[in-house]
Amino acid sequence: MDLQITLAHGTPREVETSQCLLGLIYRYNLSPYTFTRLIRIEQGVVPHSHPVLTLNTLRRHAPEPLLPTYLHEQMHWKVTTRVRGTDLISAMRSEFPSLPIEFPDGAGSEESTYGHIAVCYEEYDALLHLLGEREATALLMAIRNTRYRAVYDLVLTRTEEIRKILTRIGFD
C-alpha cells in the first residue's frame, strides 16, 4: 500500500510512530480500510481526519494502540465520501433519540455525535475483521473509557441495528 507519510517536525517520537504505522501496514492488510493515503504524524496533536489524516505520536502506556486510531480517522473519510451527512444524522437521531451529546459521552455536538455512530461502527467492524471479536471488543472498551462513551456503548450493544440503518440509507 502506497501511503504518503509526512512528519511534522521529524522528532524521534514521530519517526517511531511512522515506523509503527508501516509495521501495521506490513502485518495487516489495511487496504480495504484506507480511504486517504495522505498521513501526517505530529507530536502533541489531537488525531483528526480532515483535511489531512493526522495522527499523534505513540504515547507510553496509552489506553489504545495506533491501529484503532488509524482506522477511526480513516473511517471518517469513508463516511464523508459515502453518505450525505443529513441522511446519516437524521437516521441515527431517529433510531437513537436520547443519545448524550456532550463530551466525553458524545462528541460535543449533535451532528458529530450521530455521525460518530457510523465512524465508530466502521472502526469496530474493521477491528473485528483484523483482530477477532475478543481483541476488537477489548480495544473498543479501552477507548470507550476515554471518549465517545455513549457512542461506543451503542456500537458494542446494538451493532446489528446500526448495520441495518447504514444499509437502509445506502451506506455500502
Side-chain angles (χ1 to χ4, degrees):
M1 183 167 48
D2 184 30
L3 293 181
Q4 295 178 25
I5 300 173
T6 59
L7 307 180
H9 309 289
T11 66
R13 289 180 66 191
E14 290 175 359
V15 171
E16 177 187 12
T17 302
S18 174
Q19 291 169 343
C20 182
L21 180 58
L22 292 171
L24 290 172
I25 290 164
Y26 178 77
R27 182 174 179 190
Y28 301 104
N29 177 15
L30 298 182
S31 295
Y33 313 108
T34 298
F35 300 90
T36 180
R37 298 194 183 293
L38 301 175
I39 312 295
R40 178 178 170 90
I41 298 173
E42 183 174 354
Q43 189 169 335
V45 73
V46 173
H48 54 276
S49 58
H50 289 79
V52 173
L53 192 152
T54 304
L55 301 171
N56 194 354
T57 53
L58 299 172
R59 292 171 285 161
R60 304 288 181 237
H61 313 295
E64 77 268 3
L66 186 59
L67 180 61
T69 303
Y70 173 81
L71 292 170
H72 181 93
E73 300 309 333
Q74 286 287 357
M75 294 310 133
H76 275 288
W77 280 86
K78 179 179 182 180
V79 169
T80 58
T81 58
R82 300 241 171 123
V83 126
R84 282 191 33 224
T86 54
D87 294 341
L88 174 64
I89 304 310
S90 61
M92 292 300 178
R93 187 185 318 109
S94 174
E95 187 67 28
F96 310 111
S98 59
L99 195 63
I101 302 302
E102 297 305 315
F103 192 81
D105 293 313
S109 73
E110 187 173 270
E111 183 176 340
S112 184
T113 299
Y114 284 104
H116 266 89
I117 296 171
V119 170
C120 295
Y121 167 86
E122 289 294 323
E123 173 190 356
Y124 184 50
D125 190 57
L127 288 168
L128 286 170
H129 285 95
L130 294 168
L131 305 175
E133 185 175 5
R134 192 168 120 184
E135 193 171 347
T137 301
L139 277 172
L140 241 57
M141 288 302 295
I143 295 165
R144 176 251 179 248
N145 290 329
T146 65
R147 62 185 171 276
Y148 312 141
R149 294 185 301 212
V151 175
Y152 280 118
D153 286 347
L154 208 64
V155 167
L156 290 166
T157 60
R158 299 178 74 180
T159 309
E160 187 60 23
E161 291 168 71
I162 295 167
R163 184 192 65 73
K164 287 179 181 175
I165 294 167
L166 293 174
T167 300
R168 186 177 72 235
I169 63 171
F171 183 71
D172 271 338

